[in-house]
Amino acid sequence: FNVFVLAALDHAEPGAIGVVVGGVPIVLAIAGPLSRGARPARVTVTAGVAVALGAGVVQGGGHVSAAGIVLALGALACEVGFTLCAVPVIPRLGPLNVSIGACAIAAVLLAGGAPLVHGAGALMAPTAREATAIVVLAVAITAVAFVAWYWAIPILGTDRTGLFAGLTPVGTLATAAVVYGAVPGPVEVVGTLVVAAGVTLGLRA
């Protein structure tokens, strides 16, 4: 997922990538029930569309090439697969063990792939600033987020858990407001309200 997103940044603006990946709530609202032989709930699909549209409004879009769209769709597929592939094993292994397994697989793939793509110098010791960023990504963005996500799936179901993927751009907006004092504009506020309405609709269903 991360490799696709980072590669897409060479061919598209972040907002445009976010709009494509923001389709996760719609895809999971449909694919989640289908994967267990059930019919997608119309209310949840509607909520997924609302969340995706609201997230798209918050992100704003931007320039994107054909290669950027393909790479962003790859990230979307990975995000959906990351969820659907875990559903059968979560009851047996638990959220923590599934998260550890996902991280271990990713570590092996990336450690093996980096030298092949970038040469022997790809695996170098990080600087202090890079190490700090890695720790934040490893703890908050990966470990905590993975466990919380996998914990929510058995409680809410795949389709309703997917709605919370639309909160990512809203969280970014809130972080920018707190850290940089960036005041959200009217359009971003409207997008946030649409996301909130979609999540609320889906959870009530």
Side-chain angles (χ1 to χ4, degrees):
F1 172 84
N2 288 330
V3 169
F4 273 124
V5 170
L6 292 174
L9 287 172
D10 291 333
H11 306 277
E13 293 181 24
I17 299 169
V19 169
V20 176
V21 178
V24 167
I26 302 173
V27 178
L28 285 180
I30 297 170
L34 290 177
S35 67
R36 60 178 188 271
R39 177 180 293 182
R42 186 177 301 175
V43 176
T44 310
V45 174
T46 302
V49 171
V51 169
L53 287 175
V57 170
V58 171
Q59 292 173 113
H63 169 74
V64 61
S65 66
I69 292 175
V70 171
L71 291 167
L73 287 172
L76 171 64
C78 288
E79 180 77 5
V80 172
F82 167 81
T83 300
L84 294 180
C85 290
V87 171
V89 296
I90 291 175
R92 184 162 52 91
L93 299 178
L96 181 59
N97 287 330
V98 173
S99 300
I100 291 171
C103 291
I105 292 169
V108 171
L109 287 173
L110 293 173
L116 294 176
V117 176
H118 300 290
L123 298 177
M124 62 182 69
T127 64
R129 186 174 184 181
E130 290 169 343
T132 301
I134 289 171
V135 169
V136 172
L137 289 170
V139 176
I141 309 301
T142 303
V144 175
F146 279 23
V147 173
W149 186 260
Y150 285 144
W151 205 337
I153 289 173
I155 300 170
L156 298 175
T158 308
D159 48 354
R160 294 196 296 170
T161 300
L163 297 173
F164 287 90
L167 292 176
T168 302
V170 176
T172 303
L173 196 67
T175 302
V178 172
V179 176
Y180 302 109
V183 179
V187 174
E188 294 169 325
V189 171
V190 170
T192 299
L193 293 175
V194 172
V195 170
V199 172
T200 302
L201 175 66
L203 292 182
R204 286 178 64 85

